Amino acid sequence: MNNKDLVLKAVGELFGDKDPSAVDRWVSPTYKQHSTLAADGPEALRELISSLPADFRYEGARVIADGDVVALHGVYHGFGPEPLVAFDIYRVENGKLAEHWDALVPVVRDTVSGRSQTDGPTRVGDLGSTEANRKLVAEYAEKILKGAEYSLVTDYTSTETYLQHNPEAGDGLDGFGVAAAKWAEQGKNVVYKTIHKVIAEGDFALVQAEGEFGVPVVYYDLFRLADGKIVEHWDAIQEVPAELPHSNGLF
């Protein structure tokens, strides 16, 4: 079983079937947690699974596998009164889930672009471009997101097609520029300080970063690429809480 299938099987039993015994089958004894929702270790995950309400469900949208890491993008229903858009990253070791990171943000019904936070293409394609796309997105993250070298943005992003799923931004580079100006007026300048991960498979690449958006935040940015340029964007921007249920940090 490859890592993508392993993670999907494990998550299906844990969060689909809501089966606490799945922890014994799929989770490493040294499971390391970075989520805001659970303490460290497999027993804390078992407690979380056991506490899920009967109507809890996960609606998956996309899966990206990159070596020992698998990233999921979807929506959780039942963690609270409102659905949550989520990015989950799992590290697999010796056939078990060994480490987990995530970001969760509320579903926004009315978005500027008219797109939802998770709709759009779901199937990974163009596997031969994985490394080229990883390199491009890694450079984009360092130069544009972190370095704010906006004069170079069209080196990485298509000027013809840039489909936006951030709920407050419209399509195209101009759409994002309008949103960024509005955020700045609200005291929420977009600042990326550290790029932690770039996870790539085929025409998709996910960036995990930390920075500020008025307050300290975690950034998860998912990009779809075509013909060597970024053509679509999904994201989650989660505020860093004052306290975590573990000492591992969010990264």
Side-chain angles (χ1 to χ4, degrees):
M1 186 184 302
N2 62 38
N3 285 341
K4 181 181 286 190
D5 290 341
L6 185 151
V7 168
L8 288 173
K9 177 72 170 170
V11 169
E13 292 186 15
L14 289 163
F15 294 99
D17 300 339
K18 299 183 284 290
D19 180 2
S21 71
V23 172
D24 301 318
R25 294 188 292 277
W26 298 111
V27 179
S28 169
T30 58
Y31 184 70
K32 189 173 183 179
Q33 182 66 266
H34 298 272
S35 175
T36 61
L37 296 179
D40 206 20
E43 291 311 310
L45 181 59
R46 191 192 310 275
E47 290 177 12
L48 176 64
I49 299 301
S50 299
S51 70
L52 295 175
D55 61 351
F56 179 92
R57 63 187 175 90
Y58 175 69
E59 180 183 351
R62 20 194 91 72
V63 186
I64 306 166
D66 187 352
D68 64 350
V69 170
V70 178
L72 309 180
H73 182 210
V75 179
Y76 287 104
H77 300 263
F79 268 140
E82 296 297 327
L84 296 173
V85 176
F87 286 97
D88 290 278
I89 300 173
Y90 290 95
R91 182 175 63 82
V92 178
E93 185 177 274
N94 298 323
K96 301 273 190 176
L97 306 184
E99 196 164 6
H100 172 246
W101 302 258
D102 66 9
L104 302 100
V105 296
V107 168
V108 177
R109 304 294 181 188
D110 298 317
T111 66
V112 173
S113 69
R115 296 183 178 83
S116 81
Q117 290 150 285
T118 57
D119 64 1
T122 59
R123 185 181 295 274
V124 174
D126 198 16
L127 291 175
S129 295
T130 295
E131 293 310 317
N133 288 339
R134 183 201 311 280
K135 182 174 184 284
L136 184 145
V137 169
E139 287 185 5
Y140 174 85
E142 289 291 342
K143 292 182 179 180
I144 309 300
L145 298 180
K146 182 180 175 183
E149 298 179 54
Y150 297 125
S151 63
L152 303 177
V153 69
T154 55
D155 292 350
Y156 303 94
T157 304
S158 172
T159 56
E160 298 176 1
T161 303
Y162 185 56
L163 306 179
Q164 183 61 258
H165 296 265
N166 178 295
E168 297 183 36
D171 286 343
L173 296 175
D174 289 344
F176 186 81
V178 169
K182 180 180 177 182
W183 294 329
E185 291 176 1
Q186 299 169 347
K188 297 190 296 186
N189 289 305
V190 178
V191 177
Y192 284 71
K193 292 186 173 181
T194 305
I195 308 302
H196 285 277
K197 289 182 178 64
V198 179
I199 299 167
E201 184 186 18
D203 51 355
F204 286 94
L206 174 66
V207 175
Q208 181 206 50
E210 67 178 303
E212 295 179 356
F213 189 58
V215 295
V217 296
V218 176
Y219 286 106
Y220 281 65
D221 291 278
L222 177 63
F223 301 99
R224 184 174 64 84
L225 298 95
D227 300 320
K229 292 291 179 74
I230 294 168
V231 296
E232 195 159 7
H233 172 246
W234 301 259
D235 67 356
I237 306 171
Q238 178 181 320
E239 184 175 340
V240 176
E243 295 183 2
L244 292 171
H246 48 73
S247 59
N248 298 325
L250 295 176
F251 302 98

